[in-house]
Amino acid sequence: MSDIIVVIGSGSIAQATARRVSLGKKILLADINIEAAQAVEESLKKAGFAVTTAHVDVSSRASIEDLVTTATALGEVKGVIHTAGLSPSQSAAQHLLQVDLYGIAVVLEAFGKVIAPGGSGVVIGSQSSHRLAVDALTQKTADELALLAPEELIELPWIKEIDDSLYAYQISKRGNALRVISEVVKWGKRGARINCISAGIVDTPLAYDELTSTERGEYYRTMLANSPAGCGGMPDEIGDLAEYLFGPKGTYISGSDILIDGGVTASIKYP
C-alpha cells in the first residue's frame, strides 16, 4: 500500500504544496467541486505524480469521515494539507463559519485518529486572524475555539450571533490556529506533527475576489501597497514554507502558527 498525502481543496496553494511534499507518495485530492479536482488530477499526473480524487464537503462531518475511510483504504496517511475555505466576499457569515471553522475542526479531529507515525499536516489559515482586536477574544472564548467538540463549537451563542462575514472569517482563521495548537497534542501521541500557515494575500482566485470586491477591494489594495513587500504573495512561496514544515528540517516545529504575509500585519499594527 502507498503512503498517502490527503490534499483538501484543489486551488493554487494546494497544488503548489502537493507538488513539493508528495514525491514518491500518492495524492488523494479532495474538493467539493469534483470537476475542478479532476482537472488538477490530470495536470499532476502529466507531471509524474500518482493522484486520485474524491468529493468532500468540509461543512459535513459525514463527508469528512467518508474521506478518511477512502484515504485509509488507499494506504497510510502520511500527510494532510487543508486549503479549502471561503472568503468574506464569497459567503454569508454563518455558512462561512460552517466551512472555515467547523469544517477544519472536524478534519483535524478525524485525521488525527488515523495519521501515521512520522506524518505531518498543514492548515492554511490567514493573516486576517492576526488583525482581530486585542479584546475580540477572552481566554474563555479562545479556549472554546481550541477545545470544544466541533458540533458544540458551531452552536455557541456568540458564534451563532456573528452576522458579519469578515468578522466570521477572522474568528474562523483564529480558531484554526488555536485548534492546531490543541490538536497537536493528540497528533503527537501518534508520532505526527501539525502546523498552521497564516498566509497573507496570495495571488489566487479567492484573493482576486477580495481585491476586486466593491465592499473591501480598495482597502485590500491599499493594504498591499503600504506593506513592506509592496505586493501580494505567490502560491509557490506558501508551498515552499509547507515543504520546510513537512521535511526533515522542520521536525521540531509542531503546533505553530506561522505568519507569512510580506509584512502586511506589521505595517497595519505599526504604520
Side-chain angles (χ1 to χ4, degrees):
M1 298 178 76
S2 302
D3 287 345
I4 306 300
I5 302 291
V6 179
V7 182
I8 301 174
S10 59
S12 304
I13 293 175
Q15 295 174 52
T17 304
R19 286 173 178 270
R20 283 163 170 78
V21 305
S22 303
L23 191 64
K25 300 178 176 66
K26 185 167 188 174
I27 299 169
L28 174 58
L29 183 65
D31 200 301
I32 194 168
N33 183 339
I34 193 64
E35 290 80 11
Q38 288 169 344
V40 174
E41 175 188 17
E42 288 305 307
S43 174
L44 289 170
K45 281 183 173 178
K46 289 175 182 177
F49 291 95
V51 190
T52 188
T53 58
H55 173 270
V56 68
D57 175 358
V58 295
S59 69
S60 161
R61 175 179 284 277
S63 184
I64 292 167
E65 290 179 347
D66 285 346
L67 181 63
V68 172
T69 299
T70 299
T72 53
L74 293 171
E76 283 198 312
V77 178
K78 284 289 190 176
V80 178
I81 301 163
H82 194 295
T83 72
L86 297 168
S87 80
S89 295
Q90 293 176 324
S91 176
Q94 287 301 311
H95 184 224
L96 190 151
L97 287 160
Q98 186 74 25
V99 172
D100 288 13
L101 180 65
Y102 170 82
I104 290 181
V106 177
V107 164
L108 295 184
E109 175 193 292
F111 278 99
K113 295 175 182 177
V114 301
I115 190 73
S120 187
V122 118
V123 171
I124 304 300
S126 171
Q127 50 129 359
S128 191
S129 71
H130 291 257
R131 297 207 309 275
L132 277 173
V134 292
D135 59 351
L137 295 176
T138 64
Q139 188 61 55
K140 178 177 181 294
T141 53
D143 288 345
E144 287 172 342
L145 289 173
L147 298 169
L148 279 184
E151 283 72 22
E152 294 179 60
L153 174 62
I154 201 65
E155 292 297 327
L156 282 169
W158 70 270
I159 291 290
K160 293 187 74 66
E161 290 170 2
I162 297 174
D163 61 3
D164 177 81
S165 60
L166 178 57
Y167 184 59
Y169 184 76
Q170 291 175 331
I171 287 292
S172 295
K173 295 306 178 181
R174 187 63 188 143
N176 298 163
L178 291 167
R179 184 66 56 156
V180 162
I181 293 171
S182 70
E183 285 291 334
V184 76
V185 178
K186 301 171 189 174
W187 284 51
K189 290 178 180 178
R190 297 183 61 86
R193 300 178 297 110
I194 189 162
N195 293 286
C196 179
I197 295 177
S198 285
I201 298 174
V202 179
D203 292 332
T204 66
L206 184 147
Y208 180 81
D209 286 346
E210 293 303 312
L211 289 165
T212 59
S213 73
T214 55
E215 185 177 357
R216 285 179 286 270
E218 184 177 356
Y219 172 76
Y220 281 117
R221 293 191 296 271
T222 302
M223 184 168 63
L224 283 182
N226 291 338
S227 72
C231 63
M234 301 286 286
D236 285 325
E237 292 173 302
I238 308 304
D240 286 342
L241 176 55
E243 180 181 18
Y244 186 90
L245 294 173
F246 268 77
K249 293 182 179 180
T251 54
Y252 200 53
I253 305 173
S254 197
S256 293
D257 174 25
I258 301 174
L259 178 63
I260 173 172
D261 71 345
V264 164
T265 301
S267 68
I268 292 172
K269 289 187 175 180
Y270 304 106

